[in-house]
Amino acid sequence: MTYELYYWPGIQGRGEFVRLALEEAGADYVDVARGHGAGRGVQAMTTLMGERPFAPFAPPFLRDGDILVSHVANILAYLAPKLGLAPKDEALRLYAHGLQLTITDFVAEVHDAHHPISTELYYEDQKTEAKARTKAFLDHRVPKYFGYFEHALASNPAGPAHAVGESLTTVDLSLFQLWAGMAYAIPRAFADAEKRYPKLAALAAAVAKRPNIARYLASERRLPFSEAGIFRYYPVLDQAAKR
Amino acid sequence: MTYELYYWPGIQGRGEFVRLALEEAGADYVDVARGHGAGRGVQAMTTLMGERPFAPFAPPFLRDGDILVSHVANILAYLAPKLGLAPKDEALRLYAHGLQLTITDFVAEVHDAHHPISTELYYEDQKTEAKARTKAFLDHRVPKYFGYFEHALASNPAGPAHAVGESLTTVDLSLFQLWAGMAYAIPRAFADAEKRYPKLAALAAAVAKRPNIARYLASERRLPFSEAGIFRYYPVLDQAAKR
């Protein structure tokens, strides 16, 4: 069965965490809103979000036959066992879902750093507040989150190559995406991140080299980072961190 | 086995969504950080968050023997089937988890309405920005979220008494908490909410009348809402909405 991923076309956004899992596993999937023709395109997506039972609140969501799953962490928890990207043990699986939800929270904070007042306003209309929030984000929140993820790797009883257990999970793929996103959005503030978070840096490098991921990153299916996505490069915000 | 809930003492906060599920089910649990003596109190909680494998990022988390689960939605997805508060069908269970994660996102936005710049600063130090964010939150986000939840009830094929399926789930209990929290935090802006969201209002009233919930709400285990929690009553913010 072909998985149907629904997400805004044109940006990596939250959909990217799902794409990375599908691509790593070589799964058969369609990125519906990026397609054309019958049953494809943005309208096929917004139809499912309309006035009907079980409508998702927002993209991304995934359709697998009669199953409709929304929210990144929920989608990944559903897909991971089918794609061979979940720990087998229940306690580890619950731990992995907790990590994935911490990643979700981090992503929301990344977004709000450039949109601290309202998603209805442009960044340019909340630039002063964005600078203040980004400074607090870089000074306090990034060290807290990245320190936590670094510790998760360092304290993994199965070794620091993976966040959970002894093999690749969706958490590792998502941590790669956070790393790549931060390197794009705040190159100056993130320049010495490899020294501060060596195990995260090693994980990100290892994920990027996995054959299916490397092929995906080099393909046109991998959209570029941009100032319409979650991770945005605004030089004035990149200057905001303590040095 | 006694469930151990770990959350900051003194506030309802995010822990309350878990408490409501445990209380409704009459489950045997200990609110660890609110207790005293060996293995109790805040230190028992922070110890588990320290430099050890599988440490949670933040409270609330739940311990059930060898299982440690963090994040409200993860805890509720784990507990719900054991407490008789989950749909049996897989598709409905995934839908319920999606709703629970939408509730999670709403709670984060409630918090950020009074802390738009930094969690490291007091509300008083970000009051101007809080007013702007609260206005956007009340004008755009609350209608979007509450409209969505109202639609979830209205379009439930099993009827509008519950969000998912034909019996009570953790989603219903959490929606009650959102309703109670908004009524506390923005009494003026929320005064006519019952007209706008009649099915949500009816659900909240029905949950409050359930025998175990009514007993809990009248007990000292139910902490009061306060300006240290997620839902805070700041009159100046309550004035911010369009009328």
Side-chain angles (χ1 to χ4, degrees):
Chain A
M1 178 85 76
T2 302
Y3 294 114
E4 292 180 353
L5 170 64
Y6 294 79
Y7 193 65
W8 301 112
I11 59 168
Q12 292 182 12
R14 288 177 169 87
E16 195 66 14
F17 298 93
V18 182
R19 289 191 192 107
L20 285 167
L22 292 165
E23 292 283 348
E24 164 62 27
D28 186 13
Y29 80 101
V30 184
D31 209 333
V32 177
R34 286 174 74 185
H36 300 282
R40 297 283 181 268
V42 170
Q43 212 195 313
M45 178 172 87
T46 49
T47 298
L48 289 177
M49 295 163 60
E51 298 281 313
R52 52 184 293 289
F54 315 120
F57 182 72
F61 49 91
L62 181 97
R63 192 150 72 166
D64 178 19
D66 290 339
I67 301 269
L68 189 69
V69 197
S70 67
H71 284 273
V72 169
N74 196 16
I75 297 168
L76 292 178
Y78 172 76
L79 281 178
K82 301 178 201 300
L83 302 183
L85 293 170
K88 302 227 176 336
D89 176 72
E90 188 196 11
L92 286 186
R93 207 176 282 201
L94 290 161
Y95 173 58
H97 197 46
L99 283 171
Q100 199 70 56
L101 289 167
T102 302
I103 289 167
T104 299
D105 288 348
F106 181 77
V107 168
E109 294 197 31
V110 170
H111 173 271
D112 281 15
H114 51 72
H115 276 75
I117 300 300
S118 173
T119 52
E120 301 289 313
L121 295 173
Y122 290 109
Y123 156 68
E124 284 73 18
D125 298 326
Q126 48 194 312
K127 212 166 167 175
T128 307
E129 297 89 345
K131 208 172 156 182
R133 177 144 181 167
T134 297
K135 182 168 166 38
F137 175 65
L138 294 177
D139 289 351
H140 302 293
R141 305 300 285 170
V142 175
K144 182 166 171 158
Y145 278 103
F146 274 64
Y148 175 75
F149 295 133
E150 180 77 8
H151 170 72
L153 289 166
S155 67
N156 181 356
H162 299 289
V164 186
E166 59 195 4
S167 53
L168 189 83
T169 67
T170 60
V171 174
D172 296 328
L173 297 171
S174 296
L175 289 174
F176 155 77
Q177 177 66 7
L178 294 193
W179 190 269
M182 295 298 277
Y184 171 80
I186 50 159
R188 177 182 162 280
F190 212 59
D192 62 350
E194 205 170 319
K195 273 184 231 151
R196 279 174 286 154
Y197 314 111
K199 292 184 175 61
L200 264 176
L203 171 65
V207 167
K209 277 187 207 133
R210 295 182 70 89
N212 283 358
I213 295 294
R215 250 192 306 276
Y216 168 62
L217 295 178
S219 77
E220 61 176 17
R221 297 191 305 285
R222 172 77 164 184
L223 295 160
F225 284 108
S226 79
E227 283 55 66
I230 301 282
F231 296 98
R232 303 186 183 190
Y233 175 52
Y234 293 131
V236 66
L237 299 187
D238 187 27
Q239 304 297 321
K242 248 195 319 227
R243 282 258 112 180
Chain B
M1 179 83 75
T2 302
Y3 295 114
E4 292 180 352
L5 171 64
Y6 294 81
Y7 193 65
W8 301 112
I11 58 168
Q12 293 183 11
R14 289 178 169 86
E16 195 66 14
F17 298 93
V18 183
R19 289 192 191 105
L20 285 167
L22 293 165
E23 293 283 347
E24 163 62 27
D28 186 14
Y29 80 100
V30 185
D31 209 332
V32 177
R34 287 174 73 184
H36 300 280
R40 297 282 180 270
V42 170
Q43 212 194 314
M45 179 172 85
T46 49
T47 298
L48 289 177
M49 294 162 61
E51 298 281 313
R52 54 184 293 288
F54 315 119
F57 182 72
F61 49 90
L62 181 97
R63 192 151 70 165
D64 177 19
D66 290 337
I67 300 269
L68 189 69
V69 197
S70 67
H71 285 273
V72 169
N74 196 16
I75 297 169
L76 292 177
Y78 172 77
L79 282 178
K82 300 178 202 300
L83 302 182
L85 293 170
K88 300 225 178 334
D89 176 73
E90 187 196 11
L92 286 186
R93 207 175 281 199
L94 290 161
Y95 174 57
H97 196 46
L99 283 170
Q100 199 69 55
L101 289 167
T102 303
I103 290 167
T104 299
D105 288 347
F106 182 77
V107 168
E109 294 197 30
V110 170
H111 173 272
D112 281 14
H114 51 73
H115 276 75
I117 301 299
S118 174
T119 53
E120 301 289 314
L121 295 173
Y122 290 109
Y123 156 69
E124 286 72 18
D125 299 325
Q126 48 194 311
K127 213 166 167 173
T128 306
E129 297 88 346
K131 209 171 155 183
R133 177 142 180 166
T134 298
K135 181 167 165 42
F137 175 65
L138 295 177
D139 290 351
H140 301 293
R141 304 299 287 170
V142 175
K144 182 166 171 158
Y145 277 103
F146 275 64
Y148 175 75
F149 295 134
E150 179 76 9
H151 170 72
L153 290 166
S155 67
N156 181 356
H162 299 289
V164 185
E166 59 195 4
S167 53
L168 189 81
T169 67
T170 59
V171 174
D172 295 328
L173 297 171
S174 296
L175 289 174
F176 155 78
Q177 178 66 6
L178 293 193
W179 191 268
M182 294 298 278
Y184 171 79
I186 49 159
R188 176 181 162 282
F190 211 62
D192 61 352
E194 205 170 320
K195 274 184 229 149
R196 278 175 287 154
Y197 313 111
K199 291 183 175 64
L200 265 176
L203 171 66
V207 167
K209 278 188 207 133
R210 296 182 69 90
N212 283 359
I213 295 294
R215 251 192 305 277
Y216 168 62
L217 296 178
S219 77
E220 61 176 18
R221 296 192 304 287
R222 171 77 165 185
L223 295 161
F225 284 108
S226 80
E227 283 55 66
I230 301 281
F231 296 98
R232 303 186 183 190
Y233 175 52
Y234 292 131
V236 66
L237 299 188
D238 187 28
Q239 304 296 323
K242 247 194 321 226
R243 281 258 112 181

